[in-house]
Amino acid sequence: MNTLASVSAAAAPLLAGWSVHTLLLRRRIARIRLDPLTGLPGRAQFTTSARRDLRAPGAVVVLLDLDGFKAVNDTHGHAAGDAVLTAVGDRLQTWAALLGGSAGRLGGDEFAATAVIPDSARRPFELRELDEVLCSPVPFRGAELTVGASIGAFAVAGLPAPALDLALRRADEAMYAAKRTGGGWRIAEGPIPEMTTTNGRRTGRPGTTAPAGGRR
């Protein structure tokens, strides 16, 4: 027993050191998966959490991008643009968390979120509130920066099984419809996509080339 006790005592610091190393490694990996500017999950981590969120009854997927963001960057500089993105990330994350969901930054000024809104009659109110919150001025060095938002949403209740890819596609189409009419929010109805795709993405999105005669 004395020998075993001695071995255990000698191994204890090594085990403790390894535990600390493992914990630090996990934290480092978690930080890598977060967007360094907003602190929100990036695309990969958001996808993981969103697929889990979609299992909840009444789950809604939201996709949005900002209107007038380039003008803020061009007029006030990139620091101002960063302030806007950070504020939008905070506001979106708060909204999603209050509704039992999560948020992420997909890249540039494009964000996504999930929310649980079982009552379909309440969805317009919640989206209107989100739009108002996102469009509130952002204080920056004594000035107030203002951007708009185009928000698309899709409720997964009509799907036979939760499918994030389809939900995001329909939310993206609703977002595009909102943008074409000057911003605000739209809810996509039904699971059948209404727009053509190029390389698996809505035709007209960055990184796609519209085919001749295709819808834009």
Side-chain angles (χ1 to χ4, degrees), residues 31-200:
R31 283 197 299 271
I32 291 173
R33 292 174 178 170
L34 298 179
D35 172 55
L37 177 62
T38 64
L40 291 177
R43 182 182 294 271
Q45 190 170 348
F46 171 75
T47 297
T48 298
S49 60
R51 283 179 173 149
R52 180 193 63 235
D53 297 342
L54 293 195
R55 299 171 189 162
V60 175
V61 173
V62 174
L63 198 65
L64 68 94
D65 69 12
L66 303 180
D67 302 326
F69 177 72
K70 184 178 184 300
V72 169
N73 261 337
D74 293 345
T75 303
H76 301 280
H78 290 293
D82 288 349
V84 168
L85 293 174
T86 300
V88 167
D90 288 342
R91 294 169 182 180
L92 180 62
Q93 187 172 44
T94 298
W95 178 85
L98 288 173
L99 293 173
S102 53
R105 182 185 179 195
L106 304 186
D109 61 343
E110 186 177 49
F111 296 81
T114 58
V116 180
I117 315 173
D119 184 359
S120 60
R122 284 219 53 84
R123 290 169 193 157
F125 296 98
E126 299 294 354
L127 291 170
R128 186 177 299 117
E129 181 176 345
L130 175 62
D131 182 47
E132 292 175 355
V133 167
L134 294 180
C135 295
S136 298
V138 176
F140 178 75
R141 298 178 182 174
E144 289 191 336
L145 308 175
T146 304
V147 295
S150 294
I151 304 168
F154 177 70
V156 302
L159 299 178
L164 180 61
D165 290 345
L166 177 56
L168 284 172
R169 179 175 173 182
R170 294 295 284 129
D172 176 65
E173 291 179 347
M175 180 187 74
Y176 182 62
K179 186 173 291 291
R180 291 182 64 183
T181 56
W185 56 271
R186 296 288 186 278
I187 300 175
E189 301 293 343
I192 300 176
E194 299 176 353
M195 299 181 183
T196 61
T197 60
T198 303
N199 299 326

